[in-house]
Amino acid sequence: MSNDLKISKKKPTYPISEKLDAYLFKYRRNIDLPILYSDLLRFQGSIVVYDKNDVDTLWVRVFYNEFEREEIDSSLKQVYSSLISDGGTWILKYLNVDAIDFCTFGNSKPFRIKVRNILNDNFTHFYVKTADASRVYGLELEQMLSPYQINFLVCKDTLIEEHIAGIPGDEFIKNMLPDCSPSEKAQIAKEFVKFNERCLIRLLGDMRSYNYVIVPTHDFDHVVFKIRAIDFDQQSFEGNLKIYRPQFFKENFKMVELVRQKIQHESIDQYKVEERSIVAKRMLSYHTRLNALLDCMEADEISLPKHIERLKEDIYNYTMDLNFRKSKNMGEILKNALDFVRRNYEDVSLKRF
């Protein structure tokens, strides 16, 4: 494992192209919103948000002047209705905006909105971010190629994302993994192998432990653990292939050690093949939509020339597939990567006949 992976400290924000905007409109991801990211930046003050152990969360709770707060709250409740429900106004009287938090850590500098149902005190969160093309491509690919549904909306330069529930990976590894049973640890190791393969296939980078969550689900007499990405900023941007493989980050060292302890090499290969097959089947299910998205990516600029040159060489050396060397941009590299997985799946399927 390498401990010196270097990720670009400041990834450029790539605007939503006209072609991508048309794609988002076709698939109902594009919507007129009553409030934009820039509107939320007009806060008047803030205080630090601490967790239950009095540790700085790197979020601050922001405040607005009384003349703006009422309008902001009303607009955010309307955004919530559009994201979660049918966009109607009937639900607004049952909602309250309890908190607006801002995070200066990372590329997206998001706002986190806490919305509470006043009838039963249930609450949920959603995020308001700058609309970056890389992030939008990552979200759409997550919808199509992962086992999970994801909900987001785009309006001009603003991105609205639903909250993805789960235990942050770094917290789970530190506080919960040591107490897991041997069988649970084996199941988590298997899931990490599959998650690692899924990130590589769709070129989702920077899956350090704080960029994914662990989702436990009770099933009869045991708990099933799943790993789910929550950060899509590094979709098809970096040039180093290792950045698209979570196993190479020092933050995931304990997960990699778990795989070594619990999973035999033959089983690792089996789980990789299983994940490739599942992704290939999803590609067939989303054939038209996926091709439309890849067409947008091929026409778009979402990385730097030096990253493109390095990545296509890295993947060529990994697969020995000449198509990667012919790739002109990140969209073509990803398309060739998905085609490589699909061809291998179809070849194996044909041999079974």
Side-chain angles (χ1 to χ4, degrees), residues 147-291:
Y148 310 108
Q149 299 292 308
I150 197 158
N151 200 9
F152 71 93
L153 297 170
V154 177
C155 178
K156 298 179 182 177
D157 61 351
T158 298
L159 171 65
I160 310 295
E161 281 184 40
E162 69 174 351
H163 174 67
I164 299 174
I167 305 164
D170 53 345
E171 292 184 18
F172 182 88
I173 291 169
K174 179 181 178 181
N175 301 318
M176 301 182 69
L177 184 59
D179 296 327
C180 288
S181 68
S183 62
E184 288 173 340
K185 288 181 177 178
Q187 194 267 316
I188 293 167
K190 171 186 174 181
E191 180 61 21
F192 186 77
V193 171
K194 301 187 85 167
F195 177 68
N196 189 78
E197 191 67 13
R198 189 160 65 244
C199 292
L200 174 62
I201 291 170
R202 44 81 56 98
L203 296 182
L204 177 61
D206 193 16
M207 281 299 108
R208 287 175 281 188
S209 55
Y210 48 78
N211 286 332
Y212 60 80
V213 293
I214 310 294
V215 184
T217 304
H218 290 268
D219 184 22
F220 293 105
D221 59 348
H222 68 288
V223 179
V224 176
F225 296 89
K226 298 293 183 181
I227 302 178
R228 184 172 181 184
I230 59 171
D231 190 318
F232 303 93
D233 290 355
Q234 290 284 343
Q235 174 65 52
S236 305
F237 173 74
E238 297 286 352
N240 185 348
L241 183 60
K242 287 183 177 180
I243 288 174
Y244 300 102
R245 305 175 73 183
Q247 70 186 82
F248 287 108
F249 288 104
K250 65 184 180 191
E251 291 85 354
N252 295 325
F253 177 76
K254 289 185 178 179
M255 298 292 265
V256 175
E257 283 296 295
L258 199 64
V259 172
R260 289 173 178 162
Q261 294 167 8
K262 297 293 183 180
I263 310 290
Q264 296 181 349
H265 185 74
E266 293 79 6
S267 294
I268 292 176
D269 291 339
Q270 173 198 337
Y271 297 146
K272 287 182 177 180
V273 171
E274 285 180 6
E275 192 60 30
R276 289 180 210 140
S277 299
I278 292 170
V279 171
K281 290 175 183 176
R282 293 193 188 105
M283 288 166 58
L284 294 173
S285 298
Y286 280 97
H287 177 73
T288 302
R289 183 169 178 171
L290 181 59
N291 282 345

Side-chain angles (χ1 to χ4, degrees), residues 128-139:
V128 183
K129 303 179 178 181
T130 300
D132 173 46
S134 302
R135 197 173 301 123
V136 170
Y137 285 125
L139 288 163

Side-chain angles (χ1 to χ4, degrees), residues 59-90:
W59 290 84
V60 295
R61 186 145 298 161
V62 299
F63 304 98
Y64 300 84
N65 68 54
E66 58 181 309
F67 304 105
E68 287 190 290
R69 182 63 196 241
E70 184 176 349
E71 181 181 353
I72 287 172
D73 282 9
S74 176
S75 297
L76 289 173
K77 287 189 284 186
Q78 184 61 58
V79 170
Y80 173 87
S81 177
S82 298
L83 182 69
I84 303 298
S85 187
D86 60 0
T89 58
W90 63 273

Side-chain angles (χ1 to χ4, degrees), residues 5 7 22 61 105 124 126 142 270 288 343 351-352:
L5 283 185
I7 296 178
R61 186 145 298 161
F105 178 74
T124 188
F126 68 88
E142 180 75 0
Q270 173 198 337
T288 302
R343 288 198 310 271
K351 287 176 183 176
R352 289 179 184 154

Side-chain angles (χ1 to χ4, degrees), residues 313-330:
E313 281 300 310
D314 278 5
I315 302 183
Y316 167 75
N317 293 328
Y318 184 70
T319 64
M320 303 310 292
D321 186 333
L322 280 170
N323 287 317
F324 290 106
R325 279 190 166 169
K326 300 174 184 176
S327 302
K328 299 182 183 65
N329 53 51
M330 279 295 184

